[in-house]
């Protein structure tokens, strides 16, 4: 059975996104993984529940810092999946509005997308949720600085784009 062109594009972007996250030690440490990247670069990440990420031991609620890492990484990953050429784009600003605490013992998902790409800055928005994307636990908006392809190390570009680990 042949995949549609949209499925092939999605699989390519999802692989690129996962290779990018695999290069970020703190994301590997907390178990972040890519659930999906759509054809426009909209990225959904998965953060498994981990007792080491609990902020309140009495309630078992995941620490807000873990949610911040999830949303920063989802936003940054949507940036690299939305640009025509791969380039490093560090976070300039990230605002997160927490609506409620995450439920203990459940994973958290983060979705982010780019809504404007300018010559120097990429603008993102997204949300974190558990079981239902229509019932978010937090919203976020971010800006990312474009450094250009000339400031992206060649070895890093090859590792993310091609999975070249030599």
């Amino acid at each position: 059975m042949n995949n549609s062109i949209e499925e092939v594009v999605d699989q390519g972007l999802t692989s690129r996104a996962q290779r990018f996250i695999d290069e970020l030690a703190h994301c590997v440490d907390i178990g972040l993984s890519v659930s999906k990247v759509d054809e426009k670069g909209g990225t959904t990440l998965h953060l498994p529940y981990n007792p080491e990420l609990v902020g309140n031991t009495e309630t078992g609620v995941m620490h807000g810092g873990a949610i911040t890492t999830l949303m920063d990484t989802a936003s940054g990953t949507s940036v690299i999946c939305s640009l025509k050429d791969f380039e490093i784009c560090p976070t300039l600003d990230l605002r997160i509005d927490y609506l409620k605490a995450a439920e203990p013992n459940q994973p958290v998902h983060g979705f982010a997308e780019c809504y404007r790409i300018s010559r120097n800055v990429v603008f993102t928005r997204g949300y974190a949720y558990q079981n239902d994307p229509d019932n978010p636990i937090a919203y976020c908006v971010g800006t990312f600085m474009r450094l250009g392809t000339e400031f992206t190390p060649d070895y890093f570009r090859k590792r993310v784009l091609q999975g070249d680990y030599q």
Side-chain angles (χ1 to χ4, degrees):
M1 182 170 161
N2 294 331
N3 294 336
S4 70
I5 188 68
E6 292 82 11
E7 289 171 328
V8 171
V9 170
D10 289 351
Q11 291 169 359
L13 287 175
T14 299
S15 295
R16 174 194 292 192
Q18 188 62 58
R19 287 191 297 268
F20 175 67
I21 289 172
D22 289 346
E23 292 295 317
L24 306 173
H26 66 290
C27 294
V28 172
D29 286 348
I30 64 172
L32 275 183
S33 62
V34 177
S35 298
K36 181 179 184 199
V37 179
D38 66 32
E39 70 281 353
K40 294 180 180 178
T43 302
T44 304
L45 301 184
H46 172 86
L47 175 62
Y49 184 81
N50 180 341
E52 294 180 359
L53 300 178
V54 168
N56 182 333
T57 55
E58 290 185 24
T59 63
V61 171
M62 194 178 297
H63 192 278
I67 307 297
T68 298
T69 299
L70 169 68
M71 296 314 299
D72 186 26
T73 307
S75 298
T77 305
S78 75
V79 170
I80 67 149
C81 289
S82 297
L83 295 173
K84 181 179 176 187
D85 294 318
F86 179 78
E87 62 184 278
I88 292 176
C89 299
T91 307
L92 283 175
D93 187 45
L94 185 73
R95 175 192 164 112
I96 298 180
D97 293 326
Y98 289 94
L99 306 176
K100 60 184 177 183
E103 292 291 324
N105 302 307
Q106 294 183 25
V108 178
H109 310 278
F111 171 81
E113 64 184 354
C114 298
Y115 66 92
R116 183 171 183 337
I117 299 173
S118 73
R119 192 173 63 142
N120 297 313
V121 178
V122 180
F123 300 82
T124 65
R125 61 185 164 214
Y127 52 88
Y129 65 96
Q130 290 186 293
N131 297 318
D132 182 0
D134 292 328
N135 188 18
I137 59 175
Y139 284 106
C140 79
V141 292
T143 55
F144 293 80
M145 176 65 117
R146 296 184 69 180
L147 298 181
T149 56
E150 66 272 18
F151 292 105
T152 301
D154 196 45
Y155 78 91
F156 189 66
R157 178 190 338 274
K158 285 181 179 177
R159 289 171 80 133
V160 171
L161 295 180
Q162 303 166 1
D164 182 359
Y165 292 97
Q166 297 181 6

